[in-house]
Amino acid sequence: MSESWDKYVDVLPEVQHALNQGKAVVALESTIISHGMPYPDNLDCAANCETIVRDHGAVPATIAILKGRVKIGVTRTELEYLAQAKNVIKCSRRDLAAVLALGQDGATTVAATMILANRAGIRFFATGGVGGVHRGAENSLDISADLTELQTTDVCVISAGVKSILDIGRTLEYLETLGVPVVAFGQDRFPAFYTPDSGFDAPLRIDTAAAVARMLKVKWDFALHGGAIIGNPIPREYAMPPERINGAIEEALCRAGAQKITGKEITPFLLDTVKQLTGGESLEANKHLVYGNAALAADIAAAFSVLE
Ligand code: PSU
Ligand code: MN
């Protein structure tokens, strides 16, 4: 890192050291902390993810913006601040420059975390779910900037698939148009976040972390720029009954419509409403699927570091 952007960035020494040595590093996002889960579950989940990444042989780098500084890796104190701070701005690609210029706190979405991870030299990133094409997008045009980021930025995102608050079929079609590899890990079906089966076959299936690492090595060696989505199904013991979660999602979508929630507010609104409607069950599922993704991301990053 020696370009003009580095004056805005603080890389945690442990992360910088690992990157210098070519060791495995896994990025973790911060919108899930500030807008995806309530306190103190968010802090708990973020801290556990860091531990799991370490247990699987990689160094975690939670990415966020604090008082206008990009943080590649946060301290425990910073994590606690982020988990409780009010007025943290949900920050996607379009918001990054303003949040930095205005000295604000920003929680990075999948898109913004990919951008910052890539600049720091981090290739693997674990999250819960990626954004996608929203239901009704033919009228609202609401398509997450996560998808276009995956077209161009060389970061592999390990997620539990796409939540059925979105239009999963159209999300897969759009990713095909953008040329983004979409992999189901260890099964044929693309997973649907709270449940292992979205009802859609994934375009690709890969069964081991080493093979995922090899695919990305070839992709990037060929300068086929862009990311990939690895859909890692929620562990069966934490999966939700499909009728229960789908009922809650339908109701949450109705409420969002009635309250005219739009734009960047809609994903946090739906997550919170689904949590209330399931009596917190969706939150437990959410935490455990993120843990699975952190573990797999570290395994893939470790396998990739051997290939490099
Ligand atoms: N999915 C989740 N929890 C989240 C998000 C997605 O299960 O917190 C966040 C991610 O940061 C993702 C963002 O990048 O929501 C997508 O927001 P939008 O749909 O407004 O692009
Ligand atoms: Mn949107």
Short mmCIF file of all heavy atoms in Angstrom, two decimals, residues 112-162:
data_model
loop_
_atom_site.label_atom_id
_atom_site.label_comp_id
_atom_site.label_asym_id
_atom_site.label_seq_id
_atom_site.Cartn_x
_atom_site.Cartn_y
_atom_site.Cartn_z
N ALA A 112 -18.82 -2.13 -0.11
CA ALA A 112 -17.77 -1.24 0.40
C ALA A 112 -16.66 -2.05 1.07
O ALA A 112 -15.48 -1.70 0.96
CB ALA A 112 -18.37 -0.24 1.38
N THR A 113 -17.02 -3.13 1.76
CA THR A 113 -15.99 -3.97 2.40
C THR A 113 -15.12 -4.61 1.34
O THR A 113 -13.89 -4.70 1.50
CB THR A 113 -16.65 -5.04 3.28
OG1 THR A 113 -17.53 -4.40 4.21
CG2 THR A 113 -15.60 -5.83 4.06
N MET A 114 -15.72 -5.03 0.22
CA MET A 114 -14.92 -5.60 -0.88
C MET A 114 -13.92 -4.58 -1.40
O MET A 114 -12.75 -4.91 -1.63
CB MET A 114 -15.84 -6.01 -2.04
CG MET A 114 -16.65 -7.26 -1.79
SD MET A 114 -17.74 -7.59 -3.20
CE MET A 114 -16.53 -8.15 -4.41
N ILE A 115 -14.36 -3.35 -1.60
CA ILE A 115 -13.48 -2.31 -2.13
C ILE A 115 -12.28 -2.12 -1.20
O ILE A 115 -11.12 -2.11 -1.64
CB ILE A 115 -14.25 -0.97 -2.27
CG1 ILE A 115 -15.33 -1.09 -3.33
CG2 ILE A 115 -13.28 0.19 -2.58
CD1 ILE A 115 -16.31 0.08 -3.35
N LEU A 116 -12.57 -1.99 0.08
CA LEU A 116 -11.50 -1.68 1.04
C LEU A 116 -10.59 -2.90 1.25
O LEU A 116 -9.37 -2.75 1.37
CB LEU A 116 -12.11 -1.19 2.35
CG LEU A 116 -12.93 0.11 2.20
CD1 LEU A 116 -13.63 0.46 3.50
CD2 LEU A 116 -12.05 1.27 1.74
N ALA A 117 -11.17 -4.08 1.29
CA ALA A 117 -10.37 -5.31 1.43
C ALA A 117 -9.41 -5.41 0.24
O ALA A 117 -8.21 -5.66 0.41
CB ALA A 117 -11.27 -6.53 1.51
N ASN A 118 -9.94 -5.22 -0.95
CA ASN A 118 -9.14 -5.31 -2.16
C ASN A 118 -7.95 -4.34 -2.14
O ASN A 118 -6.83 -4.71 -2.46
CB ASN A 118 -10.05 -5.04 -3.36
CG ASN A 118 -9.32 -5.21 -4.68
OD1 ASN A 118 -9.20 -4.29 -5.46
ND2 ASN A 118 -8.81 -6.39 -4.92
N ARG A 119 -8.21 -3.11 -1.73
CA ARG A 119 -7.13 -2.12 -1.66
C ARG A 119 -6.05 -2.55 -0.69
O ARG A 119 -4.87 -2.26 -0.88
CB ARG A 119 -7.67 -0.75 -1.23
CG ARG A 119 -8.64 -0.13 -2.18
CD ARG A 119 -7.93 0.48 -3.39
NE ARG A 119 -8.88 0.65 -4.47
CZ ARG A 119 -9.65 1.72 -4.63
NH1 ARG A 119 -9.54 2.74 -3.81
NH2 ARG A 119 -10.51 1.79 -5.62
N ALA A 120 -6.46 -3.24 0.38
CA ALA A 120 -5.49 -3.68 1.39
C ALA A 120 -4.80 -4.98 0.99
O ALA A 120 -3.86 -5.41 1.66
CB ALA A 120 -6.19 -3.84 2.74
N GLY A 121 -5.29 -5.63 -0.07
CA GLY A 121 -4.68 -6.89 -0.50
C GLY A 121 -5.31 -8.13 0.13
O GLY A 121 -4.71 -9.19 0.15
N ILE A 122 -6.54 -7.99 0.61
CA ILE A 122 -7.27 -9.13 1.20
C ILE A 122 -8.22 -9.69 0.15
O ILE A 122 -8.98 -8.94 -0.46
CB ILE A 122 -8.06 -8.69 2.45
CG1 ILE A 122 -7.11 -8.07 3.49
CG2 ILE A 122 -8.83 -9.87 3.05
CD1 ILE A 122 -7.82 -7.42 4.67
N ARG A 123 -8.19 -10.99 -0.04
CA ARG A 123 -8.93 -11.63 -1.13
C ARG A 123 -10.19 -12.38 -0.69
O ARG A 123 -10.99 -12.78 -1.53
CB ARG A 123 -8.02 -12.65 -1.84
CG ARG A 123 -6.82 -12.07 -2.52
CD ARG A 123 -7.13 -11.80 -3.99
NE ARG A 123 -6.14 -10.92 -4.53
CZ ARG A 123 -6.28 -9.59 -4.59
NH1 ARG A 123 -7.39 -9.02 -4.19
NH2 ARG A 123 -5.33 -8.85 -5.09
N PHE A 124 -10.34 -12.59 0.62
CA PHE A 124 -11.46 -13.43 1.10
C PHE A 124 -12.22 -12.70 2.20
O PHE A 124 -11.62 -12.03 3.04
CB PHE A 124 -10.94 -14.80 1.58
CG PHE A 124 -10.30 -15.54 0.44
CD1 PHE A 124 -8.93 -15.44 0.21
CD2 PHE A 124 -11.07 -16.28 -0.43
CE1 PHE A 124 -8.34 -16.07 -0.88
CE2 PHE A 124 -10.49 -16.92 -1.53
CZ PHE A 124 -9.12 -16.81 -1.75
N PHE A 125 -13.52 -12.86 2.17
CA PHE A 125 -14.39 -12.02 2.99
C PHE A 125 -15.61 -12.85 3.40
O PHE A 125 -16.31 -13.40 2.55
CB PHE A 125 -14.74 -10.80 2.13
CG PHE A 125 -15.93 -9.98 2.54
CD1 PHE A 125 -16.38 -9.93 3.84
CD2 PHE A 125 -16.58 -9.22 1.59
CE1 PHE A 125 -17.46 -9.15 4.20
CE2 PHE A 125 -17.66 -8.44 1.92
CZ PHE A 125 -18.11 -8.41 3.23
N ALA A 126 -15.84 -12.94 4.70
CA ALA A 126 -17.00 -13.68 5.21
C ALA A 126 -18.08 -12.73 5.68
O ALA A 126 -17.81 -11.73 6.34
CB ALA A 126 -16.58 -14.58 6.37
N THR A 127 -19.32 -13.05 5.35
CA THR A 127 -20.45 -12.25 5.79
C THR A 127 -21.64 -13.18 6.05
O THR A 127 -21.49 -14.40 6.02
CB THR A 127 -20.79 -11.16 4.75
OG1 THR A 127 -21.86 -10.36 5.26
CG2 THR A 127 -21.21 -11.77 3.41
N GLY A 128 -22.82 -12.58 6.30
CA GLY A 128 -24.02 -13.38 6.45
C GLY A 128 -24.64 -13.63 5.08
O GLY A 128 -24.55 -14.71 4.51
N GLY A 129 -25.24 -12.57 4.56
CA GLY A 129 -25.85 -12.67 3.23
C GLY A 129 -25.42 -11.50 2.37
O GLY A 129 -25.08 -10.44 2.89
N VAL A 130 -25.42 -11.70 1.08
CA VAL A 130 -25.15 -10.58 0.18
C VAL A 130 -26.48 -9.93 -0.21
O VAL A 130 -27.54 -10.55 -0.16
CB VAL A 130 -24.42 -11.02 -1.11
CG1 VAL A 130 -22.95 -11.22 -0.86
CG2 VAL A 130 -25.02 -12.26 -1.69
N GLY A 131 -26.40 -8.66 -0.60
CA GLY A 131 -27.56 -8.00 -1.17
C GLY A 131 -27.85 -8.57 -2.55
O GLY A 131 -27.04 -9.31 -3.11
N GLY A 132 -29.02 -8.25 -3.09
CA GLY A 132 -29.36 -8.80 -4.40
C GLY A 132 -30.46 -8.00 -5.07
O GLY A 132 -30.65 -6.81 -4.76
N VAL A 133 -31.14 -8.67 -5.97
CA VAL A 133 -32.28 -8.05 -6.65
C VAL A 133 -33.49 -8.17 -5.71
O VAL A 133 -33.86 -9.28 -5.31
CB VAL A 133 -32.58 -8.77 -7.98
CG1 VAL A 133 -33.79 -8.14 -8.66
CG2 VAL A 133 -31.35 -8.75 -8.89
N HIS A 134 -34.08 -7.04 -5.36
CA HIS A 134 -35.23 -7.09 -4.45
C HIS A 134 -36.48 -7.56 -5.17
O HIS A 134 -36.61 -7.38 -6.38
CB HIS A 134 -35.47 -5.71 -3.82
CG HIS A 134 -34.55 -5.46 -2.66
ND1 HIS A 134 -34.94 -5.59 -1.34
CD2 HIS A 134 -33.24 -5.13 -2.64
CE1 HIS A 134 -33.91 -5.34 -0.56
NE2 HIS A 134 -32.85 -5.06 -1.31
N ARG A 135 -37.39 -8.15 -4.41
CA ARG A 135 -38.68 -8.49 -4.99
C ARG A 135 -39.34 -7.20 -5.45
O ARG A 135 -39.28 -6.19 -4.76
CB ARG A 135 -39.56 -9.18 -3.93
CG ARG A 135 -39.00 -10.50 -3.45
CD ARG A 135 -40.11 -11.32 -2.84
NE ARG A 135 -39.61 -12.30 -1.89
CZ ARG A 135 -40.39 -13.05 -1.10
NH1 ARG A 135 -41.70 -12.90 -1.15
NH2 ARG A 135 -39.87 -13.93 -0.29
N GLY A 136 -39.94 -7.23 -6.60
CA GLY A 136 -40.58 -6.03 -7.13
C GLY A 136 -39.59 -5.08 -7.79
O GLY A 136 -39.93 -3.93 -8.11
N ALA A 137 -38.37 -5.55 -8.03
CA ALA A 137 -37.34 -4.67 -8.62
C ALA A 137 -37.74 -4.19 -10.02
O ALA A 137 -37.22 -3.18 -10.49
CB ALA A 137 -35.99 -5.37 -8.67
N GLU A 138 -38.67 -4.91 -10.66
CA GLU A 138 -39.10 -4.47 -12.00
C GLU A 138 -39.79 -3.10 -11.91
O GLU A 138 -39.83 -2.35 -12.88
CB GLU A 138 -40.01 -5.50 -12.67
CG GLU A 138 -41.32 -5.81 -11.96
CD GLU A 138 -41.17 -6.90 -10.88
OE1 GLU A 138 -40.09 -7.02 -10.29
OE2 GLU A 138 -42.17 -7.60 -10.65
N ASN A 139 -40.29 -2.75 -10.72
CA ASN A 139 -40.86 -1.41 -10.51
C ASN A 139 -39.92 -0.50 -9.74
O ASN A 139 -39.73 0.65 -10.10
CB ASN A 139 -42.19 -1.51 -9.76
CG ASN A 139 -43.23 -2.24 -10.59
OD1 ASN A 139 -43.35 -1.98 -11.79
ND2 ASN A 139 -43.94 -3.16 -9.99
N SER A 140 -39.30 -1.02 -8.67
CA SER A 140 -38.50 -0.16 -7.79
C SER A 140 -37.08 0.05 -8.30
O SER A 140 -36.42 1.00 -7.89
CB SER A 140 -38.42 -0.78 -6.40
OG SER A 140 -37.66 -1.98 -6.45
N LEU A 141 -36.60 -0.82 -9.17
CA LEU A 141 -35.20 -0.83 -9.61
C LEU A 141 -34.23 -1.05 -8.46
O LEU A 141 -33.05 -0.71 -8.56
CB LEU A 141 -34.81 0.47 -10.34
CG LEU A 141 -34.96 0.51 -11.85
CD1 LEU A 141 -34.42 1.83 -12.40
CD2 LEU A 141 -34.22 -0.64 -12.52
N ASP A 142 -34.69 -1.62 -7.35
CA ASP A 142 -33.83 -1.83 -6.19
C ASP A 142 -32.98 -3.08 -6.37
O ASP A 142 -33.43 -4.21 -6.17
CB ASP A 142 -34.67 -1.91 -4.91
CG ASP A 142 -33.81 -1.88 -3.65
OD1 ASP A 142 -32.57 -2.03 -3.76
OD2 ASP A 142 -34.38 -1.70 -2.56
N ILE A 143 -31.75 -2.86 -6.80
CA ILE A 143 -30.77 -3.93 -6.99
C ILE A 143 -29.53 -3.52 -6.21
O ILE A 143 -29.00 -2.43 -6.43
CB ILE A 143 -30.43 -4.12 -8.48
CG1 ILE A 143 -31.70 -4.50 -9.26
CG2 ILE A 143 -29.34 -5.18 -8.65
CD1 ILE A 143 -31.51 -4.55 -10.77
N SER A 144 -29.09 -4.36 -5.30
CA SER A 144 -27.98 -3.98 -4.42
C SER A 144 -26.70 -3.71 -5.20
O SER A 144 -26.36 -4.45 -6.14
CB SER A 144 -27.72 -5.09 -3.40
OG SER A 144 -26.60 -4.74 -2.60
N ALA A 145 -25.98 -2.68 -4.76
CA ALA A 145 -24.67 -2.38 -5.34
C ALA A 145 -23.66 -3.49 -5.04
O ALA A 145 -22.58 -3.51 -5.63
CB ALA A 145 -24.16 -1.04 -4.82
N ASP A 146 -24.01 -4.41 -4.15
CA ASP A 146 -23.14 -5.57 -3.92
C ASP A 146 -22.92 -6.34 -5.22
O ASP A 146 -21.84 -6.89 -5.46
CB ASP A 146 -23.76 -6.54 -2.90
CG ASP A 146 -23.85 -5.98 -1.49
OD1 ASP A 146 -23.29 -4.89 -1.24
OD2 ASP A 146 -24.50 -6.63 -0.64
N LEU A 147 -23.94 -6.42 -6.04
CA LEU A 147 -23.85 -7.26 -7.24
C LEU A 147 -22.89 -6.67 -8.25
O LEU A 147 -22.04 -7.37 -8.81
CB LEU A 147 -25.24 -7.47 -7.85
CG LEU A 147 -26.27 -8.15 -6.94
CD1 LEU A 147 -27.55 -8.45 -7.71
CD2 LEU A 147 -25.72 -9.44 -6.33
N THR A 148 -22.99 -5.37 -8.50
CA THR A 148 -22.07 -4.75 -9.47
C THR A 148 -20.64 -4.73 -8.94
O THR A 148 -19.69 -4.80 -9.72
CB THR A 148 -22.54 -3.34 -9.85
OG1 THR A 148 -23.01 -2.69 -8.69
CG2 THR A 148 -23.65 -3.40 -10.87
N GLU A 149 -20.49 -4.66 -7.63
CA GLU A 149 -19.13 -4.72 -7.08
C GLU A 149 -18.51 -6.08 -7.36
O GLU A 149 -17.32 -6.18 -7.67
CB GLU A 149 -19.18 -4.46 -5.56
CG GLU A 149 -17.87 -3.96 -5.01
CD GLU A 149 -17.43 -2.65 -5.67
OE1 GLU A 149 -18.23 -1.70 -5.72
OE2 GLU A 149 -16.28 -2.59 -6.13
N LEU A 150 -19.32 -7.12 -7.26
CA LEU A 150 -18.81 -8.47 -7.52
C LEU A 150 -18.35 -8.63 -8.96
O LEU A 150 -17.51 -9.47 -9.27
CB LEU A 150 -19.91 -9.50 -7.20
CG LEU A 150 -20.05 -9.82 -5.71
CD1 LEU A 150 -21.45 -10.34 -5.39
CD2 LEU A 150 -18.99 -10.84 -5.28
N GLN A 151 -18.87 -7.82 -9.85
CA GLN A 151 -18.45 -7.89 -11.25
C GLN A 151 -16.99 -7.47 -11.42
O GLN A 151 -16.30 -8.01 -12.29
CB GLN A 151 -19.34 -6.99 -12.11
CG GLN A 151 -18.97 -7.02 -13.58
CD GLN A 151 -19.83 -6.10 -14.41
OE1 GLN A 151 -20.38 -5.11 -13.92
NE2 GLN A 151 -19.96 -6.41 -15.68
N THR A 152 -16.54 -6.50 -10.62
CA THR A 152 -15.24 -5.90 -10.92
C THR A 152 -14.16 -6.08 -9.86
O THR A 152 -12.98 -5.95 -10.16
CB THR A 152 -15.40 -4.38 -11.13
OG1 THR A 152 -16.09 -3.85 -10.01
CG2 THR A 152 -16.17 -4.08 -12.39
N THR A 153 -14.53 -6.29 -8.62
CA THR A 153 -13.55 -6.26 -7.52
C THR A 153 -13.15 -7.67 -7.11
O THR A 153 -14.02 -8.52 -6.85
CB THR A 153 -14.15 -5.46 -6.34
OG1 THR A 153 -14.42 -4.14 -6.80
CG2 THR A 153 -13.18 -5.39 -5.18
N ASP A 154 -11.83 -7.90 -7.05
CA ASP A 154 -11.29 -9.25 -6.90
C ASP A 154 -11.34 -9.76 -5.46
O ASP A 154 -10.30 -10.00 -4.85
CB ASP A 154 -9.83 -9.29 -7.37
CG ASP A 154 -9.67 -8.99 -8.86
OD1 ASP A 154 -10.69 -8.80 -9.56
OD2 ASP A 154 -8.51 -8.94 -9.32
N VAL A 155 -12.52 -9.92 -4.94
CA VAL A 155 -12.67 -10.44 -3.57
C VAL A 155 -13.74 -11.52 -3.60
O VAL A 155 -14.82 -11.33 -4.16
CB VAL A 155 -13.05 -9.31 -2.59
CG1 VAL A 155 -13.39 -9.87 -1.21
CG2 VAL A 155 -11.92 -8.30 -2.47
N CYS A 156 -13.42 -12.64 -2.98
CA CYS A 156 -14.36 -13.77 -2.91
C CYS A 156 -15.19 -13.64 -1.64
O CYS A 156 -14.65 -13.51 -0.55
CB CYS A 156 -13.56 -15.07 -2.90
SG CYS A 156 -14.57 -16.52 -2.62
N VAL A 157 -16.51 -13.67 -1.79
CA VAL A 157 -17.42 -13.46 -0.66
C VAL A 157 -18.05 -14.79 -0.25
O VAL A 157 -18.69 -15.45 -1.07
CB VAL A 157 -18.53 -12.45 -1.04
CG1 VAL A 157 -19.45 -12.22 0.15
CG2 VAL A 157 -17.91 -11.13 -1.49
N ILE A 158 -17.83 -15.16 0.99
CA ILE A 158 -18.39 -16.40 1.51
C ILE A 158 -19.64 -16.03 2.31
O ILE A 158 -19.57 -15.33 3.33
CB ILE A 158 -17.37 -17.17 2.39
CG1 ILE A 158 -16.21 -17.69 1.53
CG2 ILE A 158 -18.04 -18.36 3.07
CD1 ILE A 158 -15.12 -16.75 1.21
N SER A 159 -20.80 -16.46 1.83
CA SER A 159 -22.06 -16.08 2.46
C SER A 159 -22.95 -17.31 2.56
O SER A 159 -22.62 -18.37 2.02
CB SER A 159 -22.76 -15.01 1.63
OG SER A 159 -23.42 -15.62 0.54
N ALA A 160 -24.08 -17.15 3.24
CA ALA A 160 -25.03 -18.27 3.34
C ALA A 160 -26.09 -18.18 2.25
O ALA A 160 -27.21 -18.65 2.42
CB ALA A 160 -25.65 -18.29 4.72
N GLY A 161 -25.70 -17.54 1.15
CA GLY A 161 -26.63 -17.41 0.03
C GLY A 161 -27.37 -16.09 0.11
O GLY A 161 -26.87 -15.10 0.66
N VAL A 162 -28.54 -16.08 -0.44
CA VAL A 162 -29.30 -14.85 -0.57
C VAL A 162 -30.61 -15.04 0.16
O VAL A 162 -31.29 -16.05 -0.01
CB VAL A 162 -29.55 -14.56 -2.06
CG1 VAL A 162 -30.53 -13.41 -2.23
CG2 VAL A 162 -28.25 -14.23 -2.77
#
